[in-house]
């Protein structure tokens, strides 16, 4: 007969085994020390556990995967490590919730080589056998993710037992413009919020599909990621921003964060709110090696906290997000941004793509090297 202590020890051992998922991708990323600048791989690897904790926003790991590629380059080893992060299982506490939380932002990941990959889920989740087999398949042959979020791709491949954070999945969100709309296909049991600790077994067999983002955890709701909302959605708080759209940001001259000529209006009559959606294409930003050119947004409001990227789609995605979430841009202007992203996001990683982007949004002829890079100490963003 088992003692109480033995049973408790066994339960704790199982829990510990499942709660260690956040460490699995670390080694692959730490091994990328030959890429990028000294210490960058270690810094990125150190960020992995935080984005795989149970309370983390599931979109954050996709953003981190994009940053791995934009920081370390697109060598096959770098891509493989980033793909493994996208496919990694996020920690899951079956004593508190019954289904995992999945990113519903269709713009993430922005790196083409990372799209169409779906994550592993905890074996305790109903339907996990299907999803975990899909995850393994997607690493070898990514699924079609055109216009789809990770959540959408999972649903398309036959697994929908999860809640959604970010823009709602296509399978059910009748109005993707509202973070508070319930999913049209969610069942009556889709209500369990990850912020409330369900009693053990209370929802263990729940078949809730894409619950609205409001049903995700408080920690996920307090998202600080700039990519957590659909790029096309204007937040209610942007109403005030639109009132001062004509003001825009003033000219900036800074040897560290970079130069900005000041707010400019689009020649196409598009209202980008308080921001100017132009990009620059410069050499050796943020300590990168000589001869390495990257893309970056020019407006300091748009590029705040965003690292430069080798992949133009990452920067285009950031610009479109900021237009809708921060700048108070008009809907048609955000749509124009998204159309330009779709057309140019996979374009050549050279100056022609930067020029084409600026022209597409009504800023033909804008200087794409306003910082006269390369310059010692130039980071290129605020």
């Amino acid at each position: 007969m088992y003692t109480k202590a033995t049973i408790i020890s066994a339960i704790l051992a199982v829990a510990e085994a499942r709660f260690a998922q956040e460490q699995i991708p670390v080694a692959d990323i730490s091994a990328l020390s030959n890429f990028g600048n000294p210490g960058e791989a270690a810094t990125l690897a150190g960020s992995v556990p935080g984005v795989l904790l149970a309370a983390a926003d599931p979109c954050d790991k996709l953003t981190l995967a994009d940053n791995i590629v934009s920081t370390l380059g697109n060598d096959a080893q770098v891509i493989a490590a980033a793909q493994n992060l996208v496919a990694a299982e996020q920690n899951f506490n079956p004593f508190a919730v019954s289904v995992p939380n999945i990113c519903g932002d269709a713009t993430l990941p922005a790196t083409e080589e990372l799209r169409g990959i779906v994550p592993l889920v905890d074996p305790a989740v109903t339907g996990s056998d299907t999803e975990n087999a899909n995850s393994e398949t997607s690493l070898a042959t990514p699924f079609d993710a055109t216009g789809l979020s990770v959540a959408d791709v999972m649903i398309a491949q036959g697994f929908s037992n999860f809640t959604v954070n970010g823009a709602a999945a296509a399978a059910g969100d009748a109005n993707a413009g509202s973070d508070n709309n319930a999913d049209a296909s969610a069942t009556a049991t889709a209500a369990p919020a990850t912020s409330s600790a369900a009693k053990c077994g209370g929802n263990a067999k729940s078949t809730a599909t894409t619950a609205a983002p409001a049903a995700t955890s408080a920690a996920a709701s307090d998202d600080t990621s700039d990519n957590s909302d659909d790029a096309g959605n204007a937040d209610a708080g942007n109403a005030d921003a639109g009132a001062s759209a004509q003001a825009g940001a003033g000219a900036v001259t800074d040897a560290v964060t970079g130069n900005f000529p000041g707010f400019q209006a689009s020649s196409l009559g598009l209202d980008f709110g308080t921001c100017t959606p132009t990009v620059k294409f410069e050499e050796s930003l943020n300590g990168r090696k000589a001869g390495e050119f990257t893309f970056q947004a020019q407006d300091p409001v748009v590029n705040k906290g965003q690292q430069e990227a080798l992949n133009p789609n990452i920067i285009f995605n950031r610009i479109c997000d900021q237009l809708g979430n921060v700048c108070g841009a008009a809907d048609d202007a955000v749509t124009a941004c998204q159309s330009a992203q779709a057309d140019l996001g996979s374009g050549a990683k050279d100056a022609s793509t930067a020029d084409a982007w600026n022209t597409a949004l009504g800023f033909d002829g804008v200087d794409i090297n306003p910082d006269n890079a390369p310059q010692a100490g130039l980071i290129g963003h605020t």
Side-chain angles (χ1 to χ4, degrees):
M1 179 177 181
Y2 294 109
T3 65
K4 182 177 181 180
T6 301
I7 295 173
I8 292 175
S9 296
I11 292 173
L12 290 176
V14 172
E16 182 178 3
R18 299 314 308 163
F19 288 164
Q21 301 307 302
E22 76 277 4
Q23 297 297 329
I24 293 176
V26 172
D28 285 345
I29 299 167
S30 296
L32 302 175
S33 57
N34 290 333
F35 302 96
N37 295 314
E40 286 183 329
T43 299
L44 290 164
S47 300
V48 170
V51 301
L52 293 180
L53 293 176
D57 183 335
C59 296
D60 286 351
K61 78 166 183 176
L62 304 182
T63 300
L64 177 58
D66 279 332
N67 286 340
I68 289 170
V69 178
S70 66
T71 301
L72 303 180
N74 59 356
D75 182 89
Q77 185 179 348
V78 175
I79 294 296
Q83 288 176 331
N84 286 335
L85 176 58
V86 173
E89 176 187 333
Q90 186 167 345
N91 265 351
F92 177 81
N93 182 0
F95 298 105
V97 293
S98 60
V99 294
N101 195 16
I102 303 298
C103 181
D105 187 339
T107 67
L108 294 174
T111 306
E112 185 62 31
E113 295 90 337
L114 305 183
R115 295 187 64 79
I117 296 171
V118 295
L120 296 166
V121 298
D122 192 286
V125 176
T126 300
S128 61
D129 288 350
T130 296
E131 175 56 24
N132 291 340
N134 287 345
S135 180
E136 182 177 358
T137 298
S138 70
L139 279 172
T141 307
F143 298 115
D144 180 16
T146 305
L148 303 178
S149 67
V150 172
D152 292 326
V153 175
M154 291 169 70
I155 292 170
Q157 299 305 318
F159 179 77
S160 59
N161 195 18
F162 54 79
T163 55
V164 176
N165 193 74
D173 194 352
N175 184 354
S178 171
D179 280 348
N180 294 318
N181 288 330
D183 190 333
S185 68
T187 67
T189 58
T194 58
S195 60
S196 62
K199 292 182 179 180
C200 182
N203 288 307
K205 299 299 181 181
S206 169
T207 56
T209 55
T210 51
T216 59
S217 68
S221 297
D222 190 24
D223 179 25
T224 58
S225 169
D226 292 306
N227 293 321
S228 63
D229 291 319
D230 185 350
N233 296 337
D235 228 31
N238 286 333
D240 293 336
S244 59
Q246 67 275 15
V252 176
T253 302
D254 192 294
V256 176
T257 62
N259 302 330
F260 177 59
F263 177 81
Q264 303 168 67
S266 169
S267 65
L268 301 178
L270 295 168
D271 177 8
F272 292 108
T274 57
C275 300
T276 304
T278 51
V279 299
K280 55 189 177 184
F281 183 72
E282 298 182 338
E283 181 183 0
S284 303
L285 285 178
N286 204 12
R288 289 178 180 267
K289 62 188 178 183
E292 186 168 83
F293 285 78
T294 52
F295 296 85
Q296 180 59 280
Q298 294 197 25
D299 192 314
V301 174
V302 178
N303 70 33
K304 184 176 181 180
Q306 172 65 52
Q307 186 161 311
E308 73 287 343
L310 294 164
N311 183 350
N313 198 42
I314 292 174
I315 301 304
F316 297 164
N317 182 69
R318 169 55 177 246
I319 292 172
C320 295
D321 276 353
Q322 293 293 82
L323 290 177
N325 298 329
V326 175
C327 306
D331 288 346
D332 63 337
V334 175
T335 298
C337 184
Q338 293 171 329
S339 295
Q341 180 185 356
D343 292 339
L344 301 170
S346 58
K349 298 175 181 177
D350 59 28
S352 67
T353 298
D355 285 329
W357 171 269
N358 293 334
T359 297
L361 298 183
F363 301 92
D364 187 33
V366 164
D367 183 4
I368 60 172
N369 185 11
D371 303 318
N372 195 29
Q375 296 289 337
L378 175 64
I379 293 176
H381 67 80
T382 53

